[in-house]
Amino acid sequence: MLSALREVDCNTVWLQYVGYGFDPRAGCPTWLPQALAQWKLQSRHNRLVVMFHETWASAKPWQKTFWQARSQKKCARQLLELADTAATSNGACLRDLLCLGRKQEIEIIPLGCNFELPDLRPKNYRQLLIFGKAASRAYAIGCHGQLLKQLAQSRLIEEVVLSGESRGSQSDKEIALLKGAGTNFKISTCHNFPHDQVPDKVLDCGLALMCTQSSTLLKSSSFHLAAAAGQVALAVDKGDPGPPLTSGKNFLSYSPQDIQPVIHALQDRDLLCGISENVSGLAASNFNWKAIAWKWFQLLTTH
């Protein structure tokens, strides 16, 4: 890496850091802060900008990931100390980074939607989208099992749309999981579509089930699709996602131990329409790539 940086005669390194907990090597690249520290010493003009998309994993002591967290945290701390400018994509990572004691400001700069969508259309709030890769969809069904059961019993949902990447018969597992949760929804599938041809069935959904918890919504591609489409995202409550998102205004979050408040919210069509309008407005003003590029421009030219 040092040889490559010398070859291109680069004075600024812009690093997107992803400390995935499930990989003991890629999740904790101890060589990286050491190499960047050497690079910064080569010239007083050398500058490091770090976007922390992930920090470190949390887990129970009986899980392997738990024992990797200490090294991952050390790696993140070293990169944060080296960084001339630091940002993150979500509130959960920001809280992690603030615990490391950095005094300089760390800004939240979210991601955006990677799909080109037509103009907003009326939403069907009895239609629920589960979007993402196959493993993420299955995880979402498992996380929200009790909610899905309640939605079926209260007849608030008529149809579930499974959508995103799929290979072979992966949807069979998700359909089995939905039926195993005690639901009797009509189930449709819309998979592997181009970024500029999002199916009408996906766009018609008024609700979207998140595999990502509330605190990390800003880095979720599933959430950004839902936001751009004006859908009401449903997430397990694990804390504030950070500005500009607010639960109850831009999405709905709930505790699996207390499902009734979100069931009541889903019966309030005026509330759902308001959330839809609010989040689509945010997607247009804050979560589009031009706005995100402008935030980066401001950050890089003022620090």
Side-chain angles (χ1 to χ4, degrees), residues 92-236:
C93 284
L94 178 62
R95 285 189 284 273
D96 284 348
L97 296 172
L98 292 176
C99 290
L100 298 179
R102 181 182 172 91
K103 295 180 181 178
Q104 298 97 320
E105 183 180 354
I106 303 170
E107 188 164 341
I108 290 180
I109 301 182
L111 306 185
C113 179
N114 293 321
F115 293 92
E116 296 178 23
L117 305 184
D119 292 338
L120 288 177
R121 61 180 69 199
K123 296 297 165 192
N124 181 352
Y125 295 108
R126 291 184 176 274
Q127 202 165 296
L128 174 71
L129 176 67
I130 306 178
F131 174 83
K133 294 185 177 181
S136 297
R137 295 192 300 267
Y139 183 76
I141 294 168
C143 280
H144 298 280
Q146 287 300 314
L147 175 63
L148 289 166
K149 187 175 181 179
Q150 287 287 324
L151 290 173
Q153 291 176 353
S154 59
R155 298 184 180 179
L156 285 170
I157 296 297
E158 295 174 347
E159 182 177 7
V160 169
V161 179
L162 301 171
S163 182
E165 182 185 85
S166 185
R167 298 174 185 173
S169 60
Q170 288 178 327
S171 291
D172 293 345
K173 178 183 177 182
E174 297 152 43
I175 292 170
L177 287 170
L178 281 169
K179 291 181 178 179
T183 65
N184 56 353
F185 306 123
K186 176 185 175 184
I187 300 173
S188 301
T189 59
C190 296
H191 294 311
N192 305 323
F193 50 83
H195 77 282
D196 57 349
Q197 295 179 27
V198 181
D200 290 345
K201 179 72 79 171
V202 171
L203 297 173
D204 288 340
C205 292
L207 306 177
L209 202 66
M210 298 290 104
C211 71
T212 309
Q213 61 194 31
S214 63
S215 60
T216 53
L217 283 177
L218 285 172
K219 71 179 183 69
S220 165
S221 58
S222 298
F223 171 75
H224 285 294
L225 172 61
Q231 295 165 347
V232 178
L234 304 174
V236 172

